[in-house]
Every structure is written in C-alpha cells, then in structure tokens.
Amino acid sequence: MRPERSILITGATGLLGREVLGRLLASDPRLRAYALARDPRGLASDARVVPVVGDLRADGLALSPNDRDAIRRDVSAIIHIAADTTFSAPLDRARSVNTRGTARVLELANECASAVHVAYVSTAFVAGRRTGPIAEVASCATSWVNAYEQSKHEAETLVREQAASWMILRSSTVVCDDASGRVTQVNAVHRALRLYHHGLAAMMPGVPDSSVDAVTADSVADAIARLALRSDVAGETVHLCAGDGALPLDELLDITYARWAQHPEWRRRRVARPVVADLATYTLFERTIEQVGDASLRRLTRALSHFVPQLALPKRFQTTNAERLLGHRAPPVRAFWLPMIDNLVARHSIRRAA
C-alpha cells in the first residue's frame, strides 16, 4: 500500500530538521519523506525517507530529472527548514540560500501535480530593529541587525506571495537541545558567552527593558512537527518563542556570572561583569575599538556586532497563536539557561583561559 502522504523536507540533516523528521515519522506510520540535502549521509536511516541530493543555491535545486519528477508527482506538502544561519554572512551569501533558495523551493512546489502546502521555518528576528510587542503577523520591518534577519524576512514575503497554501513558523534563538542544557550545535550565543566568560568584552548593549528570548531545539521541533502539516491552520504565522518567559537581561547576567563564580579558577581571574550601555554608547565603543584597538579586539567586537545589538532593541514576541494551537507555552528561559551554562563549562567550551 502506498503511503497516504508524501512530503518534501529540507534541512533534515541539521539538528532541528532531524528532530522534526523523526517526530513526523513516529507520529504517522504511512508518511513518506523526500529529504533534500547536499550530503544525504546524515539522514535518518528509515525506509520511508527518500534521500534527494540537491542544493538550495543552484538553479532547479540541482535536482536530477528523476528526483524532480518524483517530487512533482507525489508531494503534497513541503517543510522548508534549511537555512544559512551565519549572522556574519554578507547579504548576498545569506540571500543565496535563505531568499533565492526559498524561491527555488516555491518554484518546485508550484510545479507539483497537486496543490502543495508550504510550512516555512523562519526566525522571530525578521522583526529586525523594531522594538516593543511583536505580533504573529507579516513583518513590517525596514532595517535589520544582520543579513540573516533580512534574508529570512525576504523569504517570508515570497512564501506569502507565491505558495498556494502556507504556514510560517518563527523560531527564537535555539541555545540548547532540551531542558538538560545539552549543547549539540554551538552557535553565536555560545561564542559570545565564551568571550564574556574570558573577560574579553567589557561592554554589552542593553536598556532597562532588555530581555533574552531563547528556546530549546526539542520544543521547537515538537511544535513544527505538530503544526507544519495541519491544513486547517493554513495562513497562520506562529512564534515558537519564550514570549513572556524571556529572561530580563540584568537577571540573566546576574545568574550567569554567579554560576561562573562557583568555579575557583574563574573567580581568581576577577572577571568583571560587562557594563550595559544603550545602543548609541555601544556603537561609539565599537567605533573606538576600530580606531585604537588591537587586531584581536577588533575581531571580537566585529563578531559581536552581528547580533548583540538586538539586546538594546527590546522586543516581546507575542505567542498567542502558538499557545492556542499547541495548548501550552514554551519553556521559560530560566528553566534551561543555567543547565546550558553548566554544559558549556563541563565540556570545556568556555572554561579555557584566554
């Protein structure tokens, strides 16, 4: 008997994509998934997973004629997770995967024999430099902190305009796998923590209302798996974010530095908590480092410049749609932040002296 439904999923070799695909297969024994990947060796070993070699950056996704024909014939839904999440990438590189790659996925969707539902996994930070409450609607941002945010904003616009049926699932920043704090995939947040842990960054942007919204991979994967293929919620935008569970920046700094101070070797180094300054002051600090700082300090401040300014652009991601559709709130940041810090220290990711 043929599976009841065939889907195409991108990004299934990544941390989030693997979790989503595993949940989908477990929840529906008659589901078959075409999994698009540049290197299919990292895909789940399952008879219902059909590896498809392709590349979001290439014309026609670099699909073979046979694979393209099979997808056109069979697929009724696409879950598009793959992305270039490098915050420091130049705009054209970010667009090559996130914007133009999404356009190629939509092209394929519109060639399929049946109307295809597209679930697009985006980022809550398409809100860019906007502040205040951020609703689960189309973003009206006009400026962004980095090219990643802008390219994902542009991709969302394409999905809304070109997909026959769509859902947009916006994740906040994933900082650990689950509530245990385990970190499988190191990202910009962890690298920034290492810099602050070593006392290499003396200043951090922020304002009294600043908070940190972060999520675990398992909570995001579970939500995507539960919502992405639901045709009854087509046209919805959903924030997979901590929302009201975001952690105020001052509290986050207090508990982080107190946790590090439990290690005698770190305490002996007398690393000071960074000064929190408004964005104008922080920008002046960056310019000063560019003019008079040494090469290593310039590299550090440039690395931070691609995302820490968001701390001085306070947002509260509304999660009304997510809570209505999922029936629960995402875990609050304080539930997993310290376990994540402990994990980084235990695996020596940030304990080494500078």
Side-chain angles (χ1 to χ4, degrees):
M1 180 184 297
R2 284 188 63 180
E4 187 176 272
R5 187 172 205 184
S6 292
I7 68 167
L8 171 67
I9 182 169
T10 72
T13 58
L15 173 65
L16 195 57
R18 282 197 305 270
E19 291 292 319
V20 171
L21 181 55
R23 283 167 166 78
L24 289 171
L25 294 171
S27 66
D28 185 353
R30 298 180 64 193
L31 184 74
R32 176 173 59 180
Y34 291 92
L36 178 73
R38 282 185 290 169
D39 183 355
R41 287 176 294 183
L43 291 171
S45 179
D46 190 296
R48 292 179 292 142
V49 176
V50 181
V52 176
V53 176
D55 189 339
L56 292 174
R57 299 168 300 179
D59 289 343
L61 300 172
L63 294 173
S64 72
N66 287 343
D67 284 340
R68 196 170 190 93
D69 287 345
I71 292 168
R72 286 166 167 166
R73 181 185 65 242
D74 296 338
V75 162
S76 60
I78 296 175
I79 302 176
H80 182 25
I81 301 173
D84 184 340
T85 60
T86 307
F87 294 161
S88 59
L91 183 56
D92 192 60
R93 173 182 151 184
R95 281 174 167 162
S96 70
V97 174
N98 300 337
T99 309
R100 292 192 288 274
T102 299
R104 293 180 180 111
V105 170
L106 292 168
E107 237 174 52
L108 180 59
N110 290 326
E111 292 173 7
C112 289
S114 58
V116 169
H117 174 71
V118 177
Y120 179 59
V121 178
S122 187
T123 172
F125 293 96
V126 294
R129 293 180 176 272
R130 290 184 58 208
T131 60
I134 306 298
E136 293 164 292
V137 297
S139 171
C140 58
T142 57
S143 61
W144 298 268
V145 169
N146 56 57
Y148 170 68
E149 298 171 0
Q150 181 174 349
S151 63
K152 295 292 276 187
H153 165 87
E154 293 168 352
E156 278 196 16
T157 301
L158 292 176
V159 171
R160 293 173 186 277
E161 292 175 349
Q162 298 180 19
S165 172
W166 56 266
M167 165 176 259
I168 291 172
L169 298 146
R170 292 178 180 155
S171 172
S172 185
T173 303
V174 175
V175 297
C176 55
D177 297 5
D178 50 39
S180 74
R182 182 174 66 249
V183 178
T184 298
Q185 189 168 292
V186 173
N187 60 29
V189 171
H190 309 115
R191 287 188 284 272
L193 284 168
R194 183 174 182 177
L195 296 178
Y196 285 110
H197 181 270
H198 292 335
L200 298 176
M203 186 175 287
M204 175 182 290
V207 294
D209 291 338
S210 292
S211 62
V212 174
D213 193 303
V215 288
T216 61
D218 70 331
S219 68
V220 175
D222 181 69
I224 294 170
R226 289 176 58 190
L227 299 178
L229 300 181
R230 283 181 54 178
S231 59
D232 62 316
V233 291
E236 297 272 18
T237 299
V238 181
H239 280 163
L240 307 180
C241 302
D244 290 340
L247 192 60
L249 179 60
D250 278 334
E251 181 181 348
L252 180 142
L253 289 173
D254 285 343
I255 65 175
T256 298
Y257 278 74
R259 197 67 149 202
W260 288 338
Q262 292 178 4
H263 298 273
E265 72 232 52
W266 187 88
R267 195 166 56 247
R268 284 193 293 270
R269 291 170 50 217
R270 299 174 184 252
V271 176
R273 199 182 109 156
V275 174
V276 176
D278 60 47
L279 195 52
T281 302
Y282 184 78
T283 301
L284 181 60
F285 166 73
E286 285 184 317
R287 289 174 183 165
T288 302
I289 295 300
E290 281 295 317
Q291 292 169 1
V292 301
D294 63 26
S296 61
L297 192 53
R298 288 199 299 272
R299 284 195 300 271
L300 293 173
T301 54
R302 286 171 188 169
L304 292 174
S305 71
H306 297 293
F307 71 101
V308 295
Q310 281 289 1
L311 295 172
L313 300 165
K315 299 170 176 57
R316 183 68 66 177
F317 297 111
Q318 296 179 350
T319 55
T320 305
N321 288 348
E323 291 168 25
R324 171 174 57 85
L325 296 172
L326 295 169
H328 63 80
R329 292 184 175 184
V333 176
R334 61 172 48 85
F336 53 81
W337 186 262
L338 288 181
M340 184 268 290
I341 292 292
D342 293 343
N343 179 277
L344 291 176
V345 171
R347 63 183 273 180
H348 305 280
S349 291
I350 62 175
R351 195 197 300 184
R352 298 187 189 94

